[in-house]
Amino acid sequence: MTKSAPNITAEKDPALAAKHLEEAFAIFYAESQKLETQQAALQEKINQLSSELQKSNQRLGILLNAIPAGVILLENNIVLLHNPAVLQFLPSLSTGNHFELPHDWQASIAPGEYLIGNAEDRNSPQKMVQVIRIDEGIRSFVQIQDITANIALHQETQRENRLTAMGKMAAGIAHQFRTPLATALLYSSHLCDDEVQPEMAKEFALRLRKQLLDLEKLSQDMLRFISNRPTKTVLSSAKQLIDEAQ
């Protein structure tokens, strides 16, 4: 009976083990090359995004500096960033400090509008500013804008509209003045007549007084409109309205 040759496995074969090791190293090297390529591409993308972010920040800085309104960026109500324009409203504002509006700013009737400045200081006239705050999580955006000129323009426009309306009203009311005025002149001419009886003279005088009162009422209505004062509600009887219309 002959003995069989010993079975040599791959694990005990140095050449086969070296081949497997070489293949594993080749795979590792290929994967390493892929990772290096991906890392280089990722780094290039990061550099590109960083460059774009830097350019965007520069453009944002230029834009903020060009905005005439004051702009403040807050985080947890701490000043992170502000443009130079805001210093005309808040000279002591600085980054890193807690933000709050000055206590001497007088709140207006309109929400978010404040009257600032000292009325007695001619070198620093009073201004009306509008404060807009937008909260987004822990960050807030605050805009402070001088609206003094806008309010003055609005008031001037309202004044011109009132004057235009007053002109139209004056043209219409002239016709209402003409009738009682002509009637009053007629009654006054009768009173100057020596042949008028005392009873008729008294009647003419009463009618003349009524016409003059109507003219006075028209004048008061016109003055009330010009001064823009609210009209008062007055209860009147139907008989009184009929008598005034006659």
Side-chain angles (χ1 to χ4, degrees):
M1 185 175 181
T2 60
K3 295 181 178 180
S4 60
N7 186 17
I8 302 175
T9 61
E11 289 78 5
K12 295 181 180 180
D13 189 348
L16 185 58
K19 183 179 180 181
H20 288 171
L21 182 60
E22 183 179 353
E23 291 176 354
F25 181 76
I27 295 174
F28 175 77
Y29 180 77
E31 294 298 326
S32 299
Q33 290 295 107
K34 290 181 181 179
L35 288 176
E36 289 181 1
T37 303
Q38 293 176 357
Q39 184 177 5
L42 181 60
Q43 185 63 41
E44 182 180 357
K45 189 66 175 178
I46 292 175
N47 294 337
Q48 180 183 356
L49 293 176
S50 299
S51 177
E52 292 178 358
L53 179 60
Q54 184 178 4
K55 292 179 181 179
S56 298
N57 289 336
Q58 291 177 352
R59 289 194 294 266
L60 178 60
I62 295 174
L63 179 62
L64 288 178
N65 293 336
I67 294 177
V71 177
I72 308 171
L73 179 62
L74 307 175
E75 184 172 301
N76 291 325
N77 215 41
I78 302 298
V79 179
L80 289 183
L81 179 68
H82 66 81
N83 65 340
V86 77
L87 297 178
Q88 63 178 317
F89 308 111
L90 302 171
S92 60
L93 183 70
S94 60
T95 57
N97 292 338
H98 182 78
F99 173 77
E100 63 177 353
L101 294 177
H103 298 292
D104 58 348
W105 283 21
Q106 304 175 25
S108 175
I109 299 177
E113 294 184 2
Y114 298 86
L115 182 64
I116 65 175
N118 189 354
E120 299 178 356
D121 188 0
R122 296 182 178 180
N123 297 326
S124 179
Q126 285 187 310
K127 298 179 181 179
M128 182 67 71
V129 299
Q130 182 183 51
V131 180
I132 300 175
R133 177 165 179 161
I134 302 175
D135 296 321
E136 188 68 29
I138 63 174
R139 291 199 169 186
S140 302
F141 173 84
V142 180
Q143 175 182 300
I144 304 177
Q145 184 175 3
D146 186 356
I147 59 173
T148 307
N150 295 340
I151 292 180
L153 180 61
H154 178 67
Q155 292 176 346
E156 181 64 22
T157 302
Q158 285 186 326
R159 179 177 176 274
E160 291 179 357
N161 291 338
R162 286 198 300 268
L163 290 176
T164 301
M166 185 186 68
K168 293 180 180 179
M169 185 191 70
I173 208 171
H175 298 286
Q176 300 182 31
F177 269 104
R178 185 178 303 170
T179 300
L181 184 59
T183 306
L185 290 174
L186 177 62
Y187 291 149
S188 63
S189 63
H190 287 325
L191 290 175
C192 294
D193 190 354
D194 296 335
E195 298 180 358
V196 176
Q197 299 296 324
E199 294 80 5
M200 292 298 300
K202 182 178 180 181
E203 179 67 20
F204 290 149
L206 291 175
R207 293 183 180 182
L208 175 60
R209 181 176 181 275
K210 180 180 180 301
Q211 298 301 323
L212 293 177
L213 289 176
D214 290 341
L215 290 174
E216 175 65 17
K217 183 177 181 299
L218 289 175
S219 300
Q220 290 296 331
D221 291 341
M222 188 173 182
L223 291 174
R224 187 182 299 110
F225 178 81
I226 295 174
S227 61
N228 199 24
R229 292 181 298 180
T231 57
K232 296 182 180 180
T233 303
V234 180
L235 295 177
S236 301
S237 63
K239 183 177 182 303
Q240 180 181 355
L241 294 176
I242 294 174
D243 292 340
E244 291 180 356
Q246 292 178 350

